[in-house]
Amino acid sequence: MSETKLSFKEMCARFEVTPRTLRYYEYIELLTPEKDGRNRSYGPREVARMTLILRGRRFGFALEELRQWLLIYDQNGTKSQLEAFVQMADRQLGELARQREELAVTIDDLKSLREEASRLAETES
């Protein structure tokens, strides 16, 4: 039974990324496709890694941080990788909470200024 492999173009389409993004992920060693001349093929391992990379980016993790995290699995296995993820997630949850609080203050400030401007505009009419 042969593994299903994706071409470069299929990988870009599946994950809705540009060719430049995919090449960059290879360049910084997040992905290591099989190469046959200029052709690249991506097996289940690379598809799984790409899924994790994009999910990590959505959560706000840096690419280098994700690269190091993926290396942990290769070097030390699942348990170490999961422990590292918990630490990363805790740190990122704290940062996102801080950003949410900052955003709430900014929204309140903007609402206040908008209301004041609206009142001033009505009195000028």
Side-chain angles (χ1 to χ4, degrees):
M1 190 166 128
S2 85
E3 294 180 333
T4 303
K5 297 197 184 220
L6 300 176
S7 68
F8 184 84
K9 188 175 182 178
E10 291 168 332
M11 190 75 162
C12 288
R14 178 168 182 172
F15 290 101
E16 299 177 347
V17 296
T18 64
R20 183 178 180 176
T21 296
L22 197 54
R23 280 189 213 99
Y24 182 68
Y25 288 177
E26 292 172 27
Y27 175 76
I28 62 171
E29 299 175 349
L30 284 169
L31 300 172
T32 52
E34 293 179 25
K35 293 182 182 177
D36 182 18
R38 294 186 64 183
N39 296 323
R40 297 172 175 93
S41 60
Y42 301 83
R45 177 183 183 271
E46 300 311 306
V47 169
R49 287 173 70 97
M50 188 66 165
T51 300
L52 292 171
I53 292 163
L54 294 178
R55 187 178 293 162
R57 293 297 292 151
R58 193 182 89 208
F59 294 146
F61 296 119
L63 289 174
E64 178 57 21
E65 189 172 30
L66 292 169
R67 190 181 75 74
Q68 293 294 325
W69 180 69
L70 291 168
L71 276 174
I72 291 171
Y73 176 80
D74 293 338
Q75 296 170 350
N76 302 319
T78 304
K79 184 177 189 292
S80 294
Q81 188 184 42
L82 290 172
E83 290 169 347
F85 176 76
V86 168
Q87 291 175 358
M88 289 169 53
D90 286 346
R91 189 189 68 253
Q92 190 62 14
L93 285 166
E95 175 60 20
L96 290 171
R98 184 195 64 74
Q99 289 175 7
R100 181 174 50 197
E101 290 170 10
E102 190 175 291
L103 189 55
V105 168
T106 301
I107 289 170
D108 289 343
D109 287 347
L110 183 55
K111 283 180 180 178
S112 294
L113 285 171
R114 184 203 173 280
E115 288 172 12
E116 184 178 335
S118 180
R119 277 193 307 274
L120 288 171
E122 287 176 7
T123 61
E124 294 290 321
S125 299

